[in-house]
C-alpha cells in the first residue's frame, strides 16, 4: 500500500468515528427536517450535501461517513440513499429498528419474515454493515452473511431483488479490497437490469460502478455519462443532477475548472426546474471558481445567493462553510475588518463535535490577522486552538504548522518559522494528490518568499516551481502570485531582464483582478447586500413595534374606554364650536408650509445623493491614480534595473542604484494610498517599517545590521510623507554603506516623535565609525546631502548631521495642518 493510500485509509477511520458522533442529538425516527415530501428530493439532498462535505474536506471524510452527517442533521434514514431500488421511502419494520440503533431486535425480526419481506430486511442489514463508517472486518463479515442469503433467495424472487443484491455485493467487494471483482458485480447487475427492461436500475448500477472507480480513470466518467444518458431519457431529474455532480467532482479533482463551471450552472438550472431549494452547494462552488479566476464581483454575487438558500435551522448547521467563503472574498478585496467579522461568525458556535465545519475559519482568521500586522493576536489564537481544540486530523496538523510558520516569520522568529514550514512541507509530500486544492500553491509561494528573504534562493526557487505545478491555468490569483515571487527572486539574483518580464506578467494578472471597474462593481454589490439586509431588519423592527402598539392600545381601551371616550367627545365638540375658523386657517397654512418643506427635503435629498455619488467617484479615481502612479514608478524602476546591467562606470551604476531606492520610497507611498481606505495620509509606523525592510533586504545581504524603530502612531499628509521617506532612505543607505566596514555588526535606530505641540522630530542614528574628522557636512559636495537639505527645507524644517557615537541625522519640522 503506497503512502497516499495509507493516509486516505487512516483519514477514513478517523472521520468515520467522527461521523458517528457528529450531531449525535436527535434520532432518525423523529420527523424529518428536509422540507420535502418527495422521497427523490430527500435522497438528492443527502447526496449533494455529502458530496459537498467529501469534496470540501479534501478527502478527509469518506462518502460513507459524509452521508451520515446530513442524515443526522435532517433526521433522515441512513438507509435512504441506498434503498431506492426497493423502497418508496416508507419505513419498513426492520428499517425502523435499524434507524433507532436496535440492530439486535432487527436481526431477531429476520427469523419471523419470509418472502420479499425477508429479502428486504436482509438487504437493509447488509446495507447497514457495508456502509457503516470505517472498514472493520466483523462488520464486513456480518454484511457478507446477509448479502449471500439475499443472493440465494433472489433466484426465486422478482428480478429487481437479484439486481439490488448484486449492486450491494459490488460495494461489499470494493470495501473488502477486491476492486476488479466489485466492478464485475456492477457489470452483471447492469446487464441483468437491461435484459429485464429496467433502464433506471441499469443506470444506477453504472453510476455505482463509476463512484467506485479511481479518480482520473477514463472509465469513471464514461460510466457516469452512460448513466446520465439514461436518466435524461426517462426524465429522472434528481438522478440526472446526481450524475452531473459526480462528473463535476472528477472535473474538480483533475482541475478542469472551465468544464466544472459550465456543469455547475447546469446543476443550478436543473435544481430550480424541480423546485429543489438547497442550491447553496453548487452556488458556493461557483463562488469559489469565480474567486480563483479573479472575478470577485461574481464571487460575491454567488456567495450572496448561496447564503440566501440557508432557509431552515437544520440548514444553518452548515452555515460556517458559507461564512468562510464570504470572509475569503472580503480578504481578497482588502476589506480585512469585514473578513474578520465573517470568520468570527464561523467560529461563533464552535464545538469539538462540529470541528470539521468551522476549523477553516481559524485558518482564514489567522491569515487575515497576519495581513493586518496583528501578529501577536494571530499567535494567541493559534495557542488557544492548540489548547482547546488541538489539531487531530492530518489536514489540520499540516495547516496548523504552516500558520505557525507564517506568524513566526512576521514576528521575525525565523528559526521557529523554518521548523514549522518544514513540518508542513514534509506532510504535504504525503497528502493525496487527488485532494490538493488552492491552499497548496499559496502555501508553497509564501514559503518560497520566506527562503528568499533569508537568503536561500535555490530552495526558494525550488518551492516556487513546486507550487506552480499544483496551480491551474484557471487560477489567476495563483499565477499573479507566482510571477511576482519570480520577479522578486530574479531581482535578488541579479537577473534583471527576466525580473522585468515576470513583473509585467504579474501586473497583467493583478490588473485583471483589481481593475477599477471590478472594484467599483464589488463595492456596489456590497452596498446593495448591506442595504437589503438593513431593509429586512427595518421591516422586522416595524412589525415588532406595530405589534407592541396594538397590544398597548387594546389594554388602554379595555381599562379606560368609557371615560376617555366621553372626554375626547367633549374636547372635540368644544374645539369644533370655538376654534373652527382658526383651525381651518391654521390647517391651510400648515399644509402650505408642509408642501414647501417637502419640496426642500426632496431637493436636499437629491443634492446629497449627487454629492455622495461624486464623492465615491472621486475616491475611486484618487485610488486609481495612486495605483497607476505606483505601477509607473515600478516600471521605471525595472527599466533602471535593466539599464544598470549595461553600465560599466561604477559612478553611473551607483547613481542609478541611488535613484532606484529613492523611487522605491515614493512607490511605497502610492502603493499604501491605493490599498488603504484613506487616500490623503500615510500611517508612518507601517510605512517606515516597510521602507526599512526593503532597504535591509536590498543592501544588507549579510544581515549584519539590526534596525530598532520607535515610531509614534502618526499619519502624515502625502506632501510631508514623501520627503520624510526620502530623508529616511538616504540616511539608512548611508549607514549601511559607510558606518559598518569589514562585516562589522551594528544597529541603526529610527525615531519619529512629537517635539512640542506643533513640531515633529526625526532621528536616524547608527553606532558605526562616524563622520571623517574635519568633514563639514554643510559644505561637502554630495547629491545625497544636498537632497536631504532640500527635503528638510521642503518640510519647513532644519537638518543636522553630527557625530554622536556614530552618525546622527536629526530633522525637526513643523507638522502640516492640511
Amino acid at each position: 500500500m503506497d503512502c497516499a493510500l495509507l493516509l486516505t485509509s487512516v483519514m477514513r477511520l478517523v472521520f468515520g468515528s467522527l461521523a458517528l458522533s457528529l450531531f449525535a442529538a436527535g434520532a432518525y425516527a423523529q420527523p424529518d427536517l428536509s422540507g420535502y415530501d418527495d422521497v427523490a428530493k430527500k435522497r438528492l439532498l443527502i447526496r449533494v450535501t455529502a458530496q459537498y462535505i467529501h469534496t470540501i474536506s479534501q478527502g478527509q471524510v469518506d462518502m460513507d461517513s459524509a452521508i451520515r452527517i446530513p442524515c443526522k442533521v435532517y433526521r433522515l434514514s441512513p438507509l435512504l440513499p441506498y434503498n431506492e431500488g426497493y423502497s418508496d421511502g416508507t419505513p419498513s419494520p426492520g428499517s425502523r429498528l435499524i434507524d433507532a440503533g436496535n440492530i439486535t431486535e432487527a436481526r431477531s425480526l429476520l427469523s419471523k419474515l419470509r418472502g420479499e419481506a425477508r429479502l428486504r430486511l436482509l438487504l437493509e442489514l447488509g446495507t447497514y454493515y457495508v456502509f457503516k463508517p470505517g472498514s472493520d472486518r466483523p462488520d464486513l463479515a456480518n454484511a457478507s452473511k446477509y448479502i449471500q442469503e439475499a443472493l440465494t433467495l433472489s433466484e426465486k424472487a422478482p428480478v429487481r431483488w437479484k439486481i439490488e443484491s448484486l449492486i450491494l455485493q459490488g460495494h461489499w467487494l470494493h470495501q473488502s479490497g477486491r476492486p476488479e471483482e466489485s466492478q464485475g458485480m456492477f457489470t452483471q447487475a447492469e446487464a441483468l437490469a437491461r435484459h429485464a427492461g429496467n433502464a433506471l436500475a441499469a443506470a444506477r448500477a453504472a453510476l455505482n460502478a463509476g463512484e467506485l472507480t479511481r479518480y482520473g480513470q477514463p472509465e469513471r466518467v464514461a460510466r457516469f455519462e452512460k448513466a446520465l444518458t439514461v436518466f435524461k431519457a426517462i426524465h429522472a431529474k434528481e438522478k440526472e443532477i446526481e450524475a452531473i455532480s459526480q462528473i463535476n467532482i472528477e472535473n474538480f479533482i483533475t482541475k478542469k475548472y472551465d468544464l466544472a463551471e459550465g456543469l455547475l450552472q447546469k446543476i443550478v438550472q436543473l435544481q430550480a426546474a424541480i423546485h429543489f431549494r438547497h442550491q447553496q452547494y453548487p452556488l458556493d462552488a461557483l463562488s469559489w471558481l469565480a474567486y480563483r479566476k479573479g472575478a470577485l464581483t461574481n464571487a460575491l454575487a454567488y456567495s450572496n445567493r448561496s447564503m440566501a438558500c440557508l432557509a431552515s435551522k437544520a440548514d444553518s448547521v452548515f452555515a460556517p462553510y458559507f461564512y468562510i467563503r464570504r470572509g475569503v472574498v472580503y480578504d481578497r478585496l482588502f476589506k480585512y475588518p469585514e473578513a474578520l467579522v465573517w470568520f468570527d461568525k464561523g467560529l461563533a458556535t464552535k464545538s469539538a463535535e462540529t470541528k470539521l465545519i468551522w476549523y477553516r475559519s481559524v485558518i482564514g482568521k489567522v491569515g487575515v490577522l497576519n495581513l493586518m500586522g496583528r501578529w501577536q493576536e494571530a499567535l494567541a489564537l493559534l495557542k488557544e486552538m492548540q489548547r482547546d481544540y488541538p489539531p487531530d486530523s492530518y489536514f489540520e496538523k499540516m495547516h496548523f504548522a504552516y500558520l505557525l510558520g507564517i506568524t513566526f516569520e512576521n514576528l521575525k522568529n525565523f528559526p521557529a518559522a523554518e521548523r514549522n514550514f518544514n513540518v508542513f512541507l514534509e506532510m504535504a509530500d504525503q497528502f493525496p494528490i487527488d485532494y490538493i486544492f488552492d491552499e497548496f500553491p499559496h502555501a508553497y509561494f509564501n514559503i518560497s518568499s520566506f527562503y528568499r528573504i533569508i537568503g536561500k534562493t535555490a530552495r526558494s526557487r525550488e518551492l516556487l516551481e513546486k507550487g506552480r505545478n499544483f496551480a491551474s491555468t484557471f487560477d489567476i490569483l495563483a499565477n499573479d502570485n507566482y510571477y511576482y515571487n519570480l520577479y522578486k527572486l530574479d531581482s535578488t539574483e541579479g537577473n534583471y531582464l527576466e525580473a522585468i518580464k515576470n513583473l509585467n506578467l504579474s501586473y497583467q494578472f493583478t490588473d485583471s483582478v483589481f481593475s477599477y471597474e471590478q472594484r467599483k462593481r464589488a463595492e456596489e454589490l456590497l452596498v446593495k447586500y448591506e442595504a437589503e439586509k438593513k431593509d429586512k431588519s427595518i421591516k422586522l423592527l416595524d412589525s415588532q413595534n406595530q405589534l407592541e402598539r396594538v397590544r398597548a392600545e387594546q389594554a388602554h381601551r379595555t381599562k379606560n374606554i368609557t371615560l376617555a371616550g366621553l372626554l375626547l367627545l367633549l374636547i372635540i365638540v368644544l374645539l369644533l364650536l370655538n376654534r373652527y375658523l382658526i383651525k381651518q386657517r391654521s390647517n391651510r397654512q400648515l399644509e402650505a408650509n408642509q408642501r414647501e418643506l417637502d419640496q426642500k427635503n426632496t431637493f436636499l435629498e437629491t443634492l446629497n445623493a449627487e454629492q455622495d455619488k461624486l464623492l465615491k467617484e472621486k475616491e475611486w479615481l484618487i485610488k486609481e491614480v495612486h495605483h497607476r502612479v505606483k505601477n509607473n514608478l515600478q516600471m521605471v524602476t525595472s527599466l533602471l534595473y535593466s539599464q544598470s546591467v549595461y553600465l560599466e562606470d561604477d559612478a553611473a551604476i551607483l547613481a542609478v542604484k541611488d535613484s532606484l531606492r529613492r523611487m522605491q520610497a515614493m512607490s511605497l507611498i502610492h502603493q499604501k494610498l491605493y490599498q488603504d481606505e484613506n487616500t490623503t495620509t500615510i500611517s508612518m509606523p507601517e510605512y517606515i517599517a516597510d521602507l526599512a525592510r526593503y532597504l535591509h533586504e536590498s543592501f544588507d545581504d549579510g544581515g549584519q545590521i539590526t534596525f530598532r524603530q520607535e515610531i509614534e502612531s502618526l499619519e502624515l499628509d502625502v506632501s510631508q510623507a514623501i520627503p520624510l521617506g526620502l530623508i529616511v532612505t538616504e540616511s539608512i543607505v548611508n549607514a549601511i554603506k559607510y558606518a559598518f566596514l569589514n562585516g562589522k555588526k551594528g544597529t541603526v535606530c529610527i525615531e519619529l516623535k512629537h517635539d512640542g505641540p506643533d513640531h515633529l522630530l526625526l532621528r536616524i542614528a547608527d553606532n558605526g565609525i562616524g563622520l571623517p574628522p574635519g568633514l563639514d557636512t554643510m559644505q561637502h559636495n554630495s547629491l545625497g546631502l544636498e537632497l536631504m537639505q532640500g527635503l528638510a527645507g521642503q518640510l519647513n524644517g532644519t537638518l543636522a548631521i553630527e557625530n554622536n557615537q556614530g552618525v546622527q541625522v536629526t530633522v525637526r519640522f513643523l507638522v502640516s495642518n492640511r
Side-chain angles (χ1 to χ4, degrees), residues 66-189:
I67 281 175
R68 290 295 181 105
I69 295 174
C71 288
K72 281 285 187 183
V73 171
Y74 295 105
R75 296 179 183 172
L76 296 171
S77 169
L79 298 173
L80 201 60
Y82 309 109
N83 64 9
E84 56 189 311
Y86 55 88
S87 173
D88 62 358
T90 303
S92 69
S95 69
R96 286 193 180 94
L97 291 171
I98 293 171
D99 289 346
N102 299 323
I103 308 303
T104 302
E105 290 85 342
R107 294 166 70 172
S108 298
L109 177 63
L110 189 62
S111 62
K112 303 175 184 177
L113 299 178
R114 297 291 180 272
E116 291 188 34
R118 182 178 179 83
L119 263 170
R120 174 167 179 168
L121 184 51
L122 285 169
L123 290 178
E124 288 169 341
L125 285 167
T127 298
Y128 168 79
Y129 283 111
V130 167
F131 296 107
K132 186 178 179 181
S135 54
D136 293 336
R137 289 188 178 276
D139 290 337
L140 292 175
N142 283 324
S144 179
K145 179 178 64 175
Y146 298 120
I147 295 169
Q148 291 303 319
E149 184 178 350
L151 282 168
T152 301
L153 291 178
S154 66
E155 295 292 341
K156 297 180 181 180
V159 70
R160 66 191 176 103
W161 294 107
K162 180 67 173 292
I163 295 169
E164 297 306 316
S165 299
L166 289 170
I167 290 175
L168 186 56
Q169 175 75 348
H171 281 283
W172 181 87
L173 287 168
H174 183 83
Q175 297 256 5
S176 301
R178 297 153 66 181
E180 293 182 1
E181 293 177 60
S182 169
Q183 291 297 319
M185 284 294 130
F186 292 121
T187 301
Q188 187 178 341

Side-chain angles (χ1 to χ4, degrees), residues 9-22 60-62 64-66 68 132-135:
S9 300
V10 173
M11 288 179 174
R12 176 182 173 88
L13 289 172
V14 171
F15 284 93
S17 61
L18 171 64
L20 288 174
S21 62
L22 193 61
Q60 295 179 91
V61 183
D62 64 282
D64 293 350
S65 303
R68 290 295 181 105
K132 186 178 179 181
S135 54

Side-chain angles (χ1 to χ4, degrees), residues 19 43 57 164 168 217 261 468 534 729 798:
R43 289 189 172 110
S57 71
E164 297 306 316
L168 186 56
Q217 296 294 320
E261 187 174 23
R468 191 189 187 193
K534 183 178 180 182
T729 300
T798 58

Side-chain angles (χ1 to χ4, degrees), residues 179-353:
E180 293 182 1
E181 293 177 60
S182 169
Q183 291 297 319
M185 284 294 130
F186 292 121
T187 301
Q188 187 178 341
E190 182 181 353
L192 182 61
R194 198 163 43 245
H195 182 265
N198 191 339
L200 178 59
R204 285 196 305 102
L207 187 66
N208 278 266
E211 289 177 8
L212 300 185
T213 305
R214 288 181 63 87
Y215 290 112
Q217 296 294 320
E219 305 88 78
R220 181 179 174 88
V221 174
R223 290 183 174 112
F224 291 150
E225 289 177 343
K226 180 195 289 187
L228 179 60
T229 301
V230 175
F231 294 146
K232 285 182 177 178
I234 63 177
H235 304 291
K237 293 295 183 183
E238 289 82 2
K239 299 302 294 182
E240 181 181 349
I241 292 170
E242 184 180 339
I244 294 174
S245 299
Q246 289 288 2
I247 294 171
N248 223 18
I249 292 174
E250 182 74 8
N251 287 332
F252 272 90
I253 295 296
T254 56
K255 295 182 170 56
K256 297 176 182 177
Y257 293 131
D258 288 324
L259 294 176
E261 187 174 23
L263 287 182
L264 285 169
Q265 298 283 8
K266 178 68 174 176
I267 290 170
V268 171
Q269 293 173 5
L270 287 171
Q271 289 179 342
I274 64 172
H275 306 292
F276 184 80
R277 65 174 179 80
H278 289 84
Q279 298 178 350
Q280 58 265 40
Y281 305 115
L283 289 170
D284 185 68
L286 284 166
S287 179
W288 182 84
L289 287 174
Y291 168 82
R292 295 317 307 166
K293 67 179 182 180
L296 300 182
T297 52
N298 291 340
L300 273 174
Y302 285 128
S303 175
N304 287 346
R305 290 175 63 188
S306 67
M307 286 196 292
C309 294
L310 303 176
S312 71
K313 184 177 180 181
D315 296 340
S316 67
V317 171
F318 304 104
Y321 281 137
F322 307 99
Y323 295 156
I324 294 165
R325 180 79 60 233
R326 191 56 173 270
V328 168
V329 177
Y330 271 100
D331 175 2
R332 183 53 58 182
L333 286 167
F334 302 112
K335 292 185 171 294
Y336 300 139
E338 292 87 344
L340 287 180
V341 170
W342 288 98
F343 290 134
D344 284 336
K345 284 171 70 71
L347 296 169
T349 57
K350 63 180 181 293
S351 66
E353 291 75 20

Side-chain angles (χ1 to χ4, degrees), residues 564-672:
L566 290 173
L567 232 103
L568 183 61
L569 180 61
L570 179 60
I571 292 171
I572 291 173
V573 169
L574 290 174
L575 288 173
L576 287 174
L577 291 174
N578 297 298
R579 300 291 181 180
Y580 178 79
L581 293 176
I582 297 174
K583 188 174 181 63
Q584 287 293 329
R585 188 164 57 248
S586 298
N587 285 342
R588 286 194 295 270
Q589 184 62 40
L590 286 172
E591 289 174 0
N593 291 342
Q594 186 63 45
R595 283 195 298 271
E596 182 180 357
L597 183 60
D598 290 342
Q599 291 173 354
K600 290 180 178 179
N601 286 339
T602 301
F603 172 78
L604 289 174
E605 288 173 358
T606 304
L607 184 61
N608 287 336
E610 289 296 325
Q611 288 176 340
D612 288 343
K613 180 179 178 182
L614 290 173
L615 181 59
K616 287 181 179 179
E617 290 179 354
K618 178 183 176 182
E619 290 175 352
W620 279 109
L621 288 172
I622 289 173
K623 285 194 175 185
E624 190 66 19
V625 166
H626 287 304
H627 187 190
R628 294 301 172 188
V629 169
K630 188 273 293 183
N631 283 353
N632 289 337
L633 287 172
Q634 291 281 19
M635 184 59 69
V636 173
T637 300
S638 299
L639 291 173
L640 286 174
Y641 266 126
S642 177
Q643 185 63 46
S644 67
V645 175
Y646 300 98
L647 294 176
E648 297 180 357
D649 184 81
D650 292 340
I653 293 173
L654 182 60
V656 169
K657 288 185 176 180
D658 286 343
S659 299
L660 285 172
R661 58 176 166 71
R662 291 164 184 152
M663 294 188 71
Q664 181 65 23
M666 293 186 287
S667 175
L668 279 174
I669 290 283
H670 292 285
Q671 177 177 324
K672 288 189 172 296

Side-chain angles (χ1 to χ4, degrees), residues 458-473:
R459 179 63 168 160
S460 174
R461 191 175 293 276
E462 174 192 350
L463 293 172
L464 187 61
E465 294 303 323
K466 193 168 185 178
R468 191 189 187 193
N469 291 335
F470 291 126
S472 70
T473 54

